[in-house]
Amino acid sequence: MMNSVRDGKIERLKGVSTIADGIAVKLPGDLTFELVSKYVDEIATVTEDEIASAILALVEKQKMIAEGAGAASVAAIMCRKFDTSGKVVAVISGGNIDVTSLSRVIERGLMNSGRISTLLIELADKPGQLKDVSRILADCGGNVTGVHYERGATAAVNGCFLRID
């Protein structure tokens, strides 16, 4: 829609892939294009990460479940995509998000906010390495929720990869 309004004519996108599937439109309809062109002052775009952060904020702060399209307005406000110094209303609609998608969106929002992360560390495959890494993480206040240890995937014959969640 943004390209169509900008160019003053309905345009088709080659493809659309987003967690906001309710607003994932390749080709705006004639009536919708006409109404948006006439009544909408500004259109903001938001990224997948911004939508994920908005969904997480709605869950945590408002105890509200919204699908990607329903949280897009909140994402635009949170990310200051336009002037919000006056009175602003965000329409939050649609709770049609399955629990698997919601789980992935929440994890992505937590990663974007720096509250969780995954580390991939190449180590020498010898006793005490996991203990040393765990001690460093604990000293920094980190909480390990998962560990995966893989041999043979490194350039060094006696090396290993340690993935920590």
Side-chain angles (χ1 to χ4, degrees):
M1 179 64 76
M2 184 172 204
N3 293 349
S4 296
V5 171
R6 180 194 65 219
D7 297 339
K9 63 180 182 183
I10 295 177
E11 296 179 358
R12 177 184 294 273
L13 296 175
K14 290 180 183 176
V16 179
S17 177
T18 177
I19 59 174
D21 55 354
I23 56 175
V25 178
K26 288 183 188 178
L27 181 70
D30 293 331
L31 180 59
T32 304
F33 174 73
E34 180 185 328
L35 292 172
V36 168
S37 296
K38 186 174 181 179
Y39 295 111
V40 173
D41 295 324
E42 189 175 353
I43 297 175
T45 60
V46 290
T47 67
E48 297 290 283
D49 287 337
E50 291 166 342
I51 293 171
S53 294
I55 292 171
L56 178 61
L58 287 167
V59 168
E60 288 184 319
K61 296 176 182 167
Q62 302 301 320
K63 311 303 183 231
M64 182 182 299
I65 303 292
E67 62 187 69
S73 61
V74 174
I77 291 169
M78 284 175 52
C79 297
R80 304 182 194 284
K81 297 290 180 160
F82 51 87
D83 179 23
T84 58
S85 59
K87 292 184 181 180
V88 176
V89 174
V91 176
I92 304 166
S93 62
N96 187 22
I97 186 169
D98 65 82
V99 292
T100 304
S101 295
L102 182 60
S103 174
R104 289 194 311 259
V105 166
I106 288 171
E107 184 171 343
R108 189 168 180 168
L110 290 169
M111 289 182 92
N112 291 338
S113 67
R115 296 181 345 202
I116 63 169
S117 61
T118 298
L119 303 174
L120 184 61
I121 305 168
E122 186 174 4
L123 298 171
D125 188 12
K126 63 180 189 179
Q129 294 287 75
L130 179 58
K131 178 182 72 97
D132 292 343
V133 170
S134 296
R135 172 61 32 219
I136 292 167
L137 291 171
D139 290 346
C140 293
N143 183 32
V144 175
T145 60
V147 174
H148 178 76
Y149 189 82
E150 185 177 340
R151 291 185 174 118
T154 68
V157 174
N158 61 345
C160 66
F161 276 122
L162 179 64
R163 189 185 80 225
I164 302 174
D165 299 321

